[in-house]
Amino acid sequence: MQTLLQDLRYGARMLRKHLGFTLIAVLTLALGISANTALFTIYNAFVLKPLPLKDPDRIANVTGYDREGKRNQLFSYLDYVDYRDGATSFAGLIAWSQFTAPFGEQTAAGADSPGFPGNLGLGNFVSGNYFTALGAEMALGRAFAPEEDQTPGAHPVLVLSHICWTRLFNSDPHIVGRTVRLAGLPFTVIGVTAPEFIGTTPLPPQFWVPLMMRDKVLGSRNRSELQSERKENFFILTGRLKPGVTFAQAQVEMNVVAQQLASSYPDPRRKASVSVTSGATFLNLEDELKLLVPPMLTAVGLVLLIACVNVTNMLLARAAGRQREIAVRLALGASRARLARQLLTESVLLAGMSGAAGLLLAVWAIRLSYPLVLAQLPVSPAMLEQFSLDLSPDYRVFSFVLLVSLLAGIAAGLAPALQSSRPNLSEALKNEGSTFGAQLSQSFLRNALIVTQIAVCLTLLIAAGLLTRNLQKLQTIETGLVTKNTFTL
């Protein structure tokens, strides 16, 4: 430990002594580390970071598959009831679906507020056990009562999200009991969720409505469609497992119900099986999505590789100016391993500084690009205000940056450390710098690094060019349709 501290102090003095070299090397590695950190931060927010729910590890997603193995995530209400009543593995099984409709409040003078009818509100039809199953707490009012989940069209009530209550209703403490209009129908506000509750998607709804109001809100011709059409799939099923129950056990039980439904209601489109997977995060990567991860990681990893090659060349060039120092230390009895460790410690220290700078650069880049990306989505500004994706660094991001910095430091410094610790002592002590410098500049290692750097750069440039060209083609592709003066309403 004492030796390590000595190496760190000496390395810090050497880096401080050559500030120009240090700043350029730190900036070079920071760019590569920041690109990888930004990608991992987004991956972490969608795939690794748990949902802001109570015990998210017990949240489960239910997905159906037909006889041909085609995936279908939507279920009919009648099938949901059978799954809910037939499965004992769940502490609560909920059904929900997203919808949009004109939403706002009508003033006393009869004029509509800015939120109605010009803006569409994003809502969720949910079963009555939605909030209790997900462990949601209320900032005001209450959640849905059991009787509000039984009779179609009988209970026009809704629960507001905390963001919607804050921005659209100015945090009115007397909002509970007030009437708002949804799809032209009067609805009574019965509650406001706690600030931390956003549901199970990064785009949480502005309000929740009992699923028994679905036919009335959407204007279904058949008012009993919800409870009569088993072939019409509307809802996503999400559940909370009981303590001690595994996803595999729940899946076996749900498949028993699926087989009973398939035999009782034969239909080619009917689900022959279901899968129960973890719903602890926003996104659970399916097989087709997993195929996209390696190319993205490889592309961004190549950026870091280029940075490491750059710094390696810089360290090799810098070693030419330290030949006499290295030779003197070797002549005084320092071992080559001890000297290589000292030089490697300096490169790792350099990479640690680059990691800190890269993390700050990644956070800054994400914060700058985040609203720009959201602005390109075909969603109204009111809905975008609801978007809740936590991109702040957590311990996973910090651990990733630490690991990447360590690997980058070793990758950039290992070759220079090994080569610099094997100088010709007689030539170095005589200060024949031109000889040693020429050996470094003409070495096979430096030539190979330059070739590698150019090859990787060309690979990334060609891939980026092909991707840009394909995007341009997609925007101008001939569809066989007349698209001029065509619009949607």
Side-chain angles (χ1 to χ4, degrees), residues 146-187:
E147 60 269 15
E148 294 167 342
D149 190 31
Q150 296 177 0
T151 306
H155 297 280
V157 295
L158 58 80
V159 173
L160 295 174
S161 72
H162 196 275
I163 298 178
C164 179
W165 172 63
T166 302
R167 297 180 178 176
L168 191 58
F169 297 97
N170 298 318
S171 302
D172 182 6
H174 307 292
I175 188 66
V176 175
R178 284 172 58 177
T179 299
V180 298
R181 299 189 70 82
L182 175 62
L185 304 174
F187 275 72

Short mmCIF file of all heavy atoms in Angstrom, two decimals, residues 146-187:
data_model
loop_
_atom_site.label_atom_id
_atom_site.label_comp_id
_atom_site.label_asym_id
_atom_site.label_seq_id
_atom_site.Cartn_x
_atom_site.Cartn_y
_atom_site.Cartn_z
N PRO A 146 -63.80 -0.67 -5.06
CA PRO A 146 -64.19 -1.91 -5.76
C PRO A 146 -65.46 -1.77 -6.59
O PRO A 146 -65.55 -2.33 -7.69
CB PRO A 146 -64.40 -2.91 -4.61
CG PRO A 146 -63.53 -2.39 -3.51
CD PRO A 146 -63.59 -0.90 -3.62
N GLU A 147 -66.45 -1.01 -6.12
CA GLU A 147 -67.69 -0.88 -6.87
C GLU A 147 -67.53 -0.09 -8.17
O GLU A 147 -68.38 -0.17 -9.06
CB GLU A 147 -68.77 -0.21 -6.01
CG GLU A 147 -68.43 1.18 -5.53
CD GLU A 147 -67.72 1.19 -4.19
OE1 GLU A 147 -67.25 0.11 -3.77
OE2 GLU A 147 -67.66 2.26 -3.56
N GLU A 148 -66.44 0.68 -8.28
CA GLU A 148 -66.20 1.45 -9.50
C GLU A 148 -65.58 0.61 -10.60
O GLU A 148 -65.26 1.13 -11.68
CB GLU A 148 -65.29 2.64 -9.18
CG GLU A 148 -65.96 3.66 -8.26
CD GLU A 148 -65.00 4.67 -7.68
OE1 GLU A 148 -63.79 4.40 -7.69
OE2 GLU A 148 -65.48 5.71 -7.18
N ASP A 149 -65.44 -0.68 -10.37
CA ASP A 149 -64.81 -1.59 -11.32
C ASP A 149 -65.75 -2.74 -11.69
O ASP A 149 -65.30 -3.83 -12.04
CB ASP A 149 -63.50 -2.15 -10.73
CG ASP A 149 -62.68 -2.91 -11.76
OD1 ASP A 149 -62.75 -2.55 -12.94
OD2 ASP A 149 -61.98 -3.86 -11.38
N GLN A 150 -67.07 -2.48 -11.62
CA GLN A 150 -68.02 -3.56 -11.81
C GLN A 150 -69.05 -3.29 -12.90
O GLN A 150 -69.34 -4.17 -13.70
CB GLN A 150 -68.74 -3.87 -10.49
CG GLN A 150 -67.81 -4.37 -9.40
CD GLN A 150 -68.51 -4.59 -8.08
OE1 GLN A 150 -69.72 -4.37 -7.97
NE2 GLN A 150 -67.76 -5.02 -7.06
N THR A 151 -69.58 -2.09 -12.95
CA THR A 151 -70.67 -1.78 -13.88
C THR A 151 -70.18 -0.85 -14.98
O THR A 151 -69.68 0.24 -14.69
CB THR A 151 -71.84 -1.10 -13.14
OG1 THR A 151 -72.23 -1.93 -12.02
CG2 THR A 151 -73.02 -0.92 -14.08
N PRO A 152 -70.33 -1.23 -16.26
CA PRO A 152 -69.86 -0.38 -17.36
C PRO A 152 -70.57 0.98 -17.38
O PRO A 152 -71.80 1.05 -17.30
CB PRO A 152 -70.20 -1.20 -18.61
CG PRO A 152 -70.27 -2.61 -18.14
CD PRO A 152 -70.81 -2.54 -16.75
N GLY A 153 -69.78 2.05 -17.47
CA GLY A 153 -70.30 3.39 -17.63
C GLY A 153 -70.98 3.99 -16.43
O GLY A 153 -71.59 5.06 -16.53
N ALA A 154 -70.87 3.36 -15.24
CA ALA A 154 -71.64 3.83 -14.08
C ALA A 154 -70.87 4.80 -13.19
O ALA A 154 -71.49 5.52 -12.41
CB ALA A 154 -72.09 2.62 -13.25
N HIS A 155 -69.54 4.86 -13.31
CA HIS A 155 -68.76 5.68 -12.38
C HIS A 155 -67.76 6.55 -13.15
O HIS A 155 -66.61 6.15 -13.36
CB HIS A 155 -68.03 4.79 -11.37
CG HIS A 155 -68.95 4.00 -10.49
ND1 HIS A 155 -69.57 4.54 -9.39
CD2 HIS A 155 -69.38 2.71 -10.59
CE1 HIS A 155 -70.32 3.61 -8.81
NE2 HIS A 155 -70.22 2.49 -9.51
N PRO A 156 -68.17 7.75 -13.57
CA PRO A 156 -67.27 8.67 -14.27
C PRO A 156 -66.34 9.40 -13.30
O PRO A 156 -66.54 10.56 -12.97
CB PRO A 156 -68.23 9.63 -14.98
CG PRO A 156 -69.43 9.65 -14.09
CD PRO A 156 -69.54 8.29 -13.47
N VAL A 157 -65.33 8.71 -12.85
CA VAL A 157 -64.36 9.28 -11.91
C VAL A 157 -62.95 9.08 -12.49
O VAL A 157 -62.74 8.22 -13.35
CB VAL A 157 -64.46 8.64 -10.52
CG1 VAL A 157 -65.80 8.95 -9.87
CG2 VAL A 157 -64.24 7.12 -10.60
N LEU A 158 -62.01 9.88 -12.02
CA LEU A 158 -60.63 9.72 -12.47
C LEU A 158 -59.66 10.16 -11.39
O LEU A 158 -60.01 10.92 -10.48
CB LEU A 158 -60.37 10.47 -13.78
CG LEU A 158 -60.61 11.98 -13.85
CD1 LEU A 158 -59.45 12.77 -13.25
CD2 LEU A 158 -60.80 12.41 -15.30
N VAL A 159 -58.42 9.68 -11.51
CA VAL A 159 -57.33 10.05 -10.62
C VAL A 159 -56.29 10.79 -11.46
O VAL A 159 -55.91 10.31 -12.53
CB VAL A 159 -56.70 8.80 -9.96
CG1 VAL A 159 -55.45 9.19 -9.17
CG2 VAL A 159 -57.71 8.11 -9.07
N LEU A 160 -55.83 11.94 -10.99
CA LEU A 160 -54.85 12.75 -11.70
C LEU A 160 -53.44 12.35 -11.29
O LEU A 160 -53.19 11.98 -10.14
CB LEU A 160 -55.05 14.23 -11.40
CG LEU A 160 -56.34 14.89 -11.88
CD1 LEU A 160 -56.40 16.33 -11.36
CD2 LEU A 160 -56.43 14.88 -13.40
N SER A 161 -52.51 12.45 -12.24
CA SER A 161 -51.10 12.31 -11.89
C SER A 161 -50.64 13.58 -11.19
O SER A 161 -51.21 14.65 -11.36
CB SER A 161 -50.25 12.06 -13.13
OG SER A 161 -50.16 13.25 -13.91
N HIS A 162 -49.58 13.46 -10.42
CA HIS A 162 -49.08 14.62 -9.68
C HIS A 162 -48.57 15.71 -10.62
O HIS A 162 -48.78 16.91 -10.38
CB HIS A 162 -47.95 14.19 -8.73
CG HIS A 162 -47.64 15.18 -7.68
ND1 HIS A 162 -46.78 16.24 -7.89
CD2 HIS A 162 -48.08 15.32 -6.39
CE1 HIS A 162 -46.70 16.97 -6.79
NE2 HIS A 162 -47.47 16.43 -5.86
N ILE A 163 -47.94 15.29 -11.73
CA ILE A 163 -47.44 16.28 -12.70
C ILE A 163 -48.59 17.03 -13.34
O ILE A 163 -48.56 18.26 -13.49
CB ILE A 163 -46.58 15.57 -13.77
CG1 ILE A 163 -45.36 14.92 -13.13
CG2 ILE A 163 -46.15 16.56 -14.85
CD1 ILE A 163 -44.49 14.15 -14.12
N CYS A 164 -49.64 16.31 -13.73
CA CYS A 164 -50.80 16.95 -14.33
C CYS A 164 -51.48 17.90 -13.35
O CYS A 164 -51.88 19.01 -13.71
CB CYS A 164 -51.78 15.88 -14.81
SG CYS A 164 -53.30 16.53 -15.56
N TRP A 165 -51.61 17.46 -12.11
CA TRP A 165 -52.23 18.31 -11.09
C TRP A 165 -51.41 19.58 -10.87
O TRP A 165 -51.96 20.68 -10.70
CB TRP A 165 -52.34 17.51 -9.78
CG TRP A 165 -52.77 18.30 -8.60
CD1 TRP A 165 -53.97 18.94 -8.42
CD2 TRP A 165 -52.02 18.52 -7.39
NE1 TRP A 165 -54.01 19.55 -7.19
CE2 TRP A 165 -52.83 19.29 -6.54
CE3 TRP A 165 -50.76 18.11 -6.95
CZ2 TRP A 165 -52.40 19.69 -5.26
CZ3 TRP A 165 -50.35 18.50 -5.70
CH2 TRP A 165 -51.15 19.29 -4.87
N THR A 166 -50.10 19.45 -10.92
CA THR A 166 -49.24 20.61 -10.68
C THR A 166 -49.27 21.59 -11.85
O THR A 166 -49.40 22.80 -11.65
CB THR A 166 -47.79 20.14 -10.43
OG1 THR A 166 -47.77 19.26 -9.31
CG2 THR A 166 -46.88 21.32 -10.17
N ARG A 167 -49.19 21.08 -13.06
CA ARG A 167 -49.03 21.96 -14.22
C ARG A 167 -50.34 22.41 -14.83
O ARG A 167 -50.45 23.54 -15.30
CB ARG A 167 -48.17 21.24 -15.27
CG ARG A 167 -46.76 20.94 -14.76
CD ARG A 167 -45.91 20.24 -15.80
NE ARG A 167 -44.56 20.00 -15.29
CZ ARG A 167 -43.62 19.35 -15.94
NH1 ARG A 167 -43.87 18.86 -17.13
NH2 ARG A 167 -42.42 19.19 -15.40
N LEU A 168 -51.33 21.55 -14.85
CA LEU A 168 -52.60 21.92 -15.48
C LEU A 168 -53.58 22.54 -14.51
O LEU A 168 -54.39 23.39 -14.89
CB LEU A 168 -53.22 20.69 -16.14
CG LEU A 168 -54.42 20.95 -17.06
CD1 LEU A 168 -54.03 21.89 -18.19
CD2 LEU A 168 -54.95 19.65 -17.63
N PHE A 169 -53.47 22.16 -13.23
CA PHE A 169 -54.42 22.66 -12.23
C PHE A 169 -53.73 23.47 -11.15
O PHE A 169 -54.34 23.74 -10.09
CB PHE A 169 -55.18 21.48 -11.62
CG PHE A 169 -56.01 20.72 -12.61
CD1 PHE A 169 -55.52 19.57 -13.21
CD2 PHE A 169 -57.28 21.17 -12.98
CE1 PHE A 169 -56.28 18.86 -14.13
CE2 PHE A 169 -58.04 20.47 -13.90
CZ PHE A 169 -57.54 19.32 -14.49
N ASN A 170 -52.47 23.86 -11.38
CA ASN A 170 -51.75 24.76 -10.48
C ASN A 170 -51.74 24.29 -9.03
O ASN A 170 -51.86 25.08 -8.09
CB ASN A 170 -52.35 26.17 -10.55
CG ASN A 170 -52.22 26.77 -11.94
OD1 ASN A 170 -51.20 26.63 -12.59
ND2 ASN A 170 -53.30 27.41 -12.40
N SER A 171 -51.63 22.98 -8.84
CA SER A 171 -51.55 22.37 -7.50
C SER A 171 -52.70 22.81 -6.61
O SER A 171 -52.54 23.09 -5.42
CB SER A 171 -50.21 22.73 -6.84
OG SER A 171 -49.13 22.29 -7.62
N ASP A 172 -53.90 22.86 -7.16
CA ASP A 172 -55.09 23.26 -6.41
C ASP A 172 -55.35 22.26 -5.29
O ASP A 172 -55.63 21.09 -5.54
CB ASP A 172 -56.29 23.32 -7.35
CG ASP A 172 -57.55 23.77 -6.64
OD1 ASP A 172 -57.49 24.15 -5.45
OD2 ASP A 172 -58.63 23.73 -7.27
N PRO A 173 -55.26 22.68 -4.02
CA PRO A 173 -55.48 21.73 -2.91
C PRO A 173 -56.93 21.26 -2.80
O PRO A 173 -57.20 20.29 -2.09
CB PRO A 173 -55.06 22.54 -1.68
CG PRO A 173 -55.26 23.96 -2.07
CD PRO A 173 -54.96 24.04 -3.53
N HIS A 174 -57.84 21.93 -3.49
CA HIS A 174 -59.25 21.56 -3.44
C HIS A 174 -59.70 20.88 -4.73
O HIS A 174 -60.89 20.93 -5.08
CB HIS A 174 -60.10 22.81 -3.19
CG HIS A 174 -59.68 23.60 -2.00
ND1 HIS A 174 -59.82 23.15 -0.69
CD2 HIS A 174 -59.09 24.83 -1.90
CE1 HIS A 174 -59.36 24.06 0.15
NE2 HIS A 174 -58.90 25.09 -0.56
N ILE A 175 -58.76 20.23 -5.42
CA ILE A 175 -59.09 19.61 -6.70
C ILE A 175 -60.01 18.41 -6.55
O ILE A 175 -60.83 18.12 -7.42
CB ILE A 175 -57.79 19.19 -7.43
CG1 ILE A 175 -58.10 18.72 -8.85
CG2 ILE A 175 -57.07 18.10 -6.65
CD1 ILE A 175 -58.62 19.79 -9.75
N VAL A 176 -59.91 17.69 -5.42
CA VAL A 176 -60.74 16.51 -5.21
C VAL A 176 -62.21 16.94 -5.12
O VAL A 176 -62.56 17.83 -4.34
CB VAL A 176 -60.32 15.76 -3.93
CG1 VAL A 176 -61.27 14.59 -3.66
CG2 VAL A 176 -58.90 15.25 -4.06
N GLY A 177 -63.03 16.33 -5.93
CA GLY A 177 -64.45 16.66 -5.98
C GLY A 177 -64.81 17.57 -7.13
O GLY A 177 -66.02 17.70 -7.45
N ARG A 178 -63.83 18.19 -7.76
CA ARG A 178 -64.12 19.05 -8.90
C ARG A 178 -64.41 18.22 -10.14
O ARG A 178 -64.00 17.07 -10.26
CB ARG A 178 -62.96 20.02 -9.15
CG ARG A 178 -62.91 21.16 -8.16
CD ARG A 178 -61.67 21.98 -8.30
NE ARG A 178 -61.50 22.54 -9.63
CZ ARG A 178 -60.51 23.35 -9.97
NH1 ARG A 178 -59.58 23.68 -9.07
NH2 ARG A 178 -60.43 23.83 -11.20
N THR A 179 -65.11 18.85 -11.08
CA THR A 179 -65.49 18.17 -12.32
C THR A 179 -64.63 18.65 -13.47
O THR A 179 -64.43 19.85 -13.65
CB THR A 179 -66.97 18.42 -12.64
OG1 THR A 179 -67.78 17.91 -11.58
CG2 THR A 179 -67.38 17.73 -13.94
N VAL A 180 -64.08 17.71 -14.22
CA VAL A 180 -63.34 18.01 -15.44
C VAL A 180 -64.03 17.29 -16.59
O VAL A 180 -64.86 16.41 -16.37
CB VAL A 180 -61.87 17.58 -15.33
CG1 VAL A 180 -61.16 18.33 -14.23
CG2 VAL A 180 -61.77 16.07 -15.10
N ARG A 181 -63.69 17.69 -17.80
CA ARG A 181 -64.33 17.08 -18.96
C ARG A 181 -63.31 16.22 -19.70
O ARG A 181 -62.19 16.64 -19.99
CB ARG A 181 -64.90 18.15 -19.88
CG ARG A 181 -65.96 19.00 -19.20
CD ARG A 181 -66.67 19.90 -20.18
NE ARG A 181 -67.54 19.16 -21.08
CZ ARG A 181 -68.78 18.76 -20.78
NH1 ARG A 181 -69.29 19.03 -19.57
NH2 ARG A 181 -69.52 18.11 -21.65
N LEU A 182 -63.73 15.00 -19.99
CA LEU A 182 -62.91 14.04 -20.72
C LEU A 182 -63.74 13.51 -21.87
O LEU A 182 -64.81 12.93 -21.65
CB LEU A 182 -62.48 12.89 -19.79
CG LEU A 182 -61.72 11.73 -20.43
CD1 LEU A 182 -60.41 12.22 -21.05
CD2 LEU A 182 -61.45 10.63 -19.42
N ALA A 183 -63.25 13.74 -23.10
CA ALA A 183 -63.99 13.35 -24.30
C ALA A 183 -65.39 13.94 -24.30
O ALA A 183 -66.35 13.31 -24.76
CB ALA A 183 -64.04 11.83 -24.43
N GLY A 184 -65.51 15.15 -23.73
CA GLY A 184 -66.79 15.83 -23.69
C GLY A 184 -67.70 15.39 -22.58
O GLY A 184 -68.83 15.90 -22.46
N LEU A 185 -67.27 14.47 -21.74
CA LEU A 185 -68.09 13.94 -20.65
C LEU A 185 -67.59 14.47 -19.32
O LEU A 185 -66.38 14.63 -19.11
CB LEU A 185 -68.05 12.41 -20.64
CG LEU A 185 -68.47 11.71 -21.94
CD1 LEU A 185 -68.23 10.21 -21.82
CD2 LEU A 185 -69.94 11.99 -22.25
N PRO A 186 -68.49 14.74 -18.37
CA PRO A 186 -68.06 15.22 -17.05
C PRO A 186 -67.51 14.07 -16.21
O PRO A 186 -68.15 13.01 -16.08
CB PRO A 186 -69.34 15.79 -16.46
CG PRO A 186 -70.45 15.04 -17.13
CD PRO A 186 -69.97 14.73 -18.51
N PHE A 187 -66.33 14.27 -15.63
CA PHE A 187 -65.71 13.29 -14.74
C PHE A 187 -65.35 13.99 -13.43
O PHE A 187 -64.95 15.15 -13.42
CB PHE A 187 -64.44 12.70 -15.36
CG PHE A 187 -64.69 11.53 -16.27
CD1 PHE A 187 -65.26 11.72 -17.52
CD2 PHE A 187 -64.37 10.25 -15.87
CE1 PHE A 187 -65.49 10.66 -18.36
CE2 PHE A 187 -64.59 9.16 -16.71
CZ PHE A 187 -65.16 9.37 -17.96
#
